[in-house]
């Protein structure tokens, strides 16, 4: 994890990241069509130079969708649209994946912390 991703994000608990990675990896293993789209995006970079903002129910499937858009060259900013459906472990995994050497950092913002 790097300080840049932590500074640009707000998550309930970064220690939940390993569980979030497992969920995102499961989605990746079970969504072959989205994987094919990702491969095409990585080659063609259709979103290169674009900034994409995503607001939706933030869970493993939508997190992987954001990663696919990011693979297409976009700078992606993502926020959960509903704090009750936002999965904290998935958010932590996205923050942990962010790299200062990558121009495409996924930022996570939670407007309400669920308890």
């Amino acid at each position: 994890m790097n300080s840049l991703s932590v500074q640009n994000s707000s998550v309930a608990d970064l220690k939940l990241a390993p569980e979030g990675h497992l969920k995102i990896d499961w989605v990746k293993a079970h969504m072959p069509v989205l994987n094919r789209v990702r491969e095409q995006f990585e080659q063609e970079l259709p979103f290169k130079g674009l900034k994409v903002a995503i607001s939706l129910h933030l869970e493993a499937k939508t997190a992987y969708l954001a990663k696919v858009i990011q693979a297409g060259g976009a700078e992606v900013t993502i926020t959960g649209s509903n704090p009750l459906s936002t999965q904290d472990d998935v958010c932590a995994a996205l923050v942990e994946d962010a790299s200062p050497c990558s121009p495409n950092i996924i930022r996570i913002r939670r407007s309400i912390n669920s308890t």
Side-chain angles (χ1 to χ4, degrees), residues 2-77:
N2 62 71
S3 61
L4 180 60
S5 62
V6 173
Q7 289 173 354
N8 290 329
S9 63
S10 175
V11 296
D13 187 353
L14 289 173
K15 294 175 190 161
L16 298 173
E19 186 177 333
H21 286 296
L22 289 175
K23 289 180 180 180
I24 295 169
D25 290 345
W26 186 94
V27 169
K28 184 177 180 181
H30 291 86
M31 298 189 81
V33 173
L34 198 51
N35 289 332
R36 290 181 71 195
V37 170
R38 183 181 185 143
E39 290 170 8
Q40 183 177 353
F41 281 1
E42 288 173 338
Q43 291 177 1
E44 299 175 5
L45 298 174
F47 306 122
K48 186 176 182 179
L50 297 178
K51 293 181 179 184
V52 176
I54 300 172
S55 177
L56 40 68
H57 296 277
L58 192 48
E59 44 85 30
K61 293 181 294 294
T62 53
Y64 187 60
L65 176 62
K67 289 175 135 268
V68 169
I69 293 169
Q70 182 185 38
E75 179 181 336
V76 177
T77 300

